[in-house]
Amino acid sequence: METAMKPIKRPTMLSATFVKTVNVPGRYGDGRGGLGLSLLVRPGRRSRVAKCWTQSVRIGGKPTSLGLGRYPVVTLALARQKALENAQAIAEGRDPRRRSGHSAPTFAEAADKVMSIHAGNWKPGGRTEDSWRATLRDYILPRLGDMPVDVVTGKDVMAVLQPIWTAKRETAKRVRARIGAVMKWAVAQGHRTDNPAGDALAAALPNNAVRRQHHKALPHAEVGAAVRKVRGSDAYPGAVFAFELLVLTATRSGEIRSAVWDDIDLESAVWTIPAERMKAGLAHRVPLSDRALAVLDQAREELPHGSGTVFPSPTGCVQRNRALATLVRELGIDAVPHGFRSSFRDWAAECTDTPREVCELALAHVNRDRVEAAYRRSDLFERRRALMQQWADYISAQD
């Protein structure tokens, strides 16, 4: 960091010779003209140093640092010329970052373009777009939104990340990745040559890893009581039915909320989830227990199904991302929807003699052992059918 660099005697006005020969890291101000111009010397690779020009100005009353390019591509004379042009623009009430012909979009505009590019790969009813918009709204746009993408610096990105880097590490990682995605788009479009959210930034941030938090889950012996509590509540029936099927099938919330009748064969008691709606991108067959079929029968009778969605919201659309999480929280159930997959897995390990591979397939976990996966082609469907019926019977026995 600059504050840790060795102080040296600074010239009041830079010279071409000094700029060429200086090799001690630090910031060297140019006293000529009072333009706020300075040469920033940083440690580089192989014991060399990197030099770049910056200008400290106030735009709209706000202190701002403008990047003027790297030395030797930008000489001292050229840096002074750029600094003078910027100062003249500010004096005339113009933003030098918006020069005539300046084509770089703002960060907010660039983020919209990046999201539109990736939207086709996001799962229907998934949380990716909602998550992107939430991180943009809450953390990124207040600081970077109005800045042209070519003037965003590592300092700007650091200002976004530092307040949350330790307290909200996973959120901060997503924020950094999304800023990086926008910056990479800007590089690809020719608006800039670097990604200020890249490796150099990561090295500057604290490396105090935090312990990973697992999804809150109930002991399997308490699952039946939770299902009974939800079933007996006055919550919206679509959410009630969706929650019980989520528990009975040990599937994920997004898979339940986006379920459509065309994917369910009630006669064969099979729900086939298409690859595009699965986390691993592979189609998954889910065996339906007797109780799961009963829940689906209730849903078909009591809920509108003109849209084809099994558990539509009151407006007929796919239920919102947090619908089931809100349901269990408001009923005082000390778990999250995803945690019931853990409850199922613990029960299968503790209360049955079901082989591990059957349990993992029931959860649609991908086999990371390439050799084993190459030889095991079956999804062990009938063995999973027996396991899911046992699970449903176990839950019912708790009533």
Side-chain angles (χ1 to χ4, degrees):
M1 295 177 63
E2 292 174 27
T3 55
M5 294 176 181
K6 180 181 177 181
I8 66 170
K9 186 177 180 180
R10 311 282 174 89
T12 57
M13 189 168 68
L14 298 179
S15 67
T17 300
F18 179 85
V19 171
K20 180 179 179 180
T21 59
V22 63
N23 59 8
V24 178
R27 184 181 292 276
Y28 301 88
D30 181 28
R32 179 176 175 178
L35 300 175
L37 177 66
S38 61
L39 177 71
L40 182 60
V41 181
R42 290 172 171 162
R45 297 179 178 178
R46 299 179 181 176
S47 302
R48 297 180 181 178
V49 293
K51 305 174 185 179
C52 63
W53 298 103
T54 64
Q55 183 182 14
S56 298
V57 297
R58 297 185 74 89
I59 300 177
K62 179 181 177 182
T64 304
S65 179
L66 302 178
L68 304 183
R70 294 179 179 274
Y71 179 86
V73 175
V74 177
T75 63
L76 172 61
L78 182 54
R80 284 172 173 166
Q81 179 184 335
K82 287 186 173 186
L84 178 60
E85 291 173 356
N86 289 341
Q88 290 172 337
I90 294 170
E92 295 169 4
R94 294 183 287 112
D95 188 336
R97 296 171 298 184
R98 292 286 194 179
R99 298 183 181 91
S100 177
H102 191 84
S103 60
T106 64
F107 187 96
E109 293 166 344
D112 281 338
K113 292 181 183 295
V114 171
M115 285 194 293
S116 67
I117 290 171
H118 292 287
N121 295 324
W122 291 340
K123 299 174 185 177
R127 57 183 258 176
T128 309
E129 182 177 358
D130 290 344
S131 179
W132 258 81
R133 294 196 180 281
T135 51
L136 284 167
R137 179 191 67 237
D138 297 340
Y139 303 105
I140 303 173
L141 296 186
R143 173 82 187 197
L144 308 181
D146 294 332
M147 297 179 67
V149 291
D150 60 343
V151 303
V152 176
T153 66
K155 182 179 179 181
D156 297 317
V157 180
M158 183 84 86
V160 173
L161 295 176
Q162 272 189 311
I164 59 174
W165 188 255
T166 299
K168 301 179 179 179
R169 178 59 64 90
E170 292 304 317
T171 298
K173 286 181 178 178
R174 285 195 293 272
V175 169
R176 179 194 165 205
R178 286 161 189 175
I179 294 175
V182 175
M183 292 294 101
K184 289 174 184 177
W185 175 88
V187 171
Q189 295 296 313
H191 297 306
R192 59 183 304 132
T193 60
D194 66 323
N195 171 17
D199 293 341
L201 180 79
L205 289 164
N207 193 29
N208 52 327
V210 296
R211 185 175 62 183
R212 183 173 181 176
Q213 297 293 318
H214 294 288
H215 294 285
K216 261 191 169 183
L218 292 178
H220 56 76
E222 298 177 17
V223 171
V227 171
R228 186 167 62 252
K229 189 171 189 177
V230 172
R231 201 187 298 152
S233 72
D234 58 358
Y236 171 62
V240 173
F241 296 147
F243 171 77
E244 186 168 2
L245 192 70
L246 175 141
V247 174
L248 290 167
T249 56
T251 47
R252 300 177 178 89
S253 176
E255 295 155 9
I256 287 287
R257 291 183 297 102
S258 60
V260 295
W261 286 110
D262 286 346
D263 296 337
I264 297 175
D265 185 340
L266 293 173
E267 287 190 14
S268 300
V270 179
W271 171 25
T272 303
I273 308 176
E276 60 267 22
R277 293 207 292 272
M278 289 297 299
K279 180 179 179 180
L282 300 172
H284 178 54
R285 293 196 300 165
V286 180
L288 299 171
S289 63
D290 294 341
R291 177 58 195 165
L293 290 171
V295 170
L296 288 167
D297 284 339
Q298 283 184 276
R300 189 164 56 173
E301 290 177 8
E302 299 182 30
L303 301 176
H305 51 272
S307 64
T309 303
V310 178
F311 305 111
S313 69
T315 60
C317 303
V318 174
Q319 290 191 48
R320 61 188 177 87
N321 178 37
R322 301 289 298 171
L324 298 184
T326 301
L327 172 67
V328 296
R329 185 183 68 248
E330 290 180 348
L331 290 176
I333 297 171
D334 192 26
V336 296
H338 199 85
F340 288 92
R341 287 165 56 83
S342 296
S343 302
F344 162 78
R345 188 64 181 86
D346 289 344
W347 163 82
E350 296 174 10
C351 303
T352 77
D353 58 359
T354 306
R356 176 184 176 279
E357 59 267 29
V358 177
C359 301
E360 292 298 294
L361 284 168
L363 292 168
H365 284 165
V366 175
N367 191 340
R368 301 299 179 186
D369 187 317
R370 294 184 179 181
V371 175
E372 183 180 340
Y375 284 96
R376 184 174 294 285
R377 305 295 178 87
S378 169
D379 64 359
L380 304 177
F381 185 78
E382 292 306 321
R383 298 190 71 175
R384 289 194 289 119
R385 182 186 290 283
L387 177 65
M388 302 317 290
Q389 185 61 53
Q390 280 183 266
W391 173 235
D393 292 343
Y394 175 76
I395 295 171
S396 297
Q398 298 174 18
D399 284 349

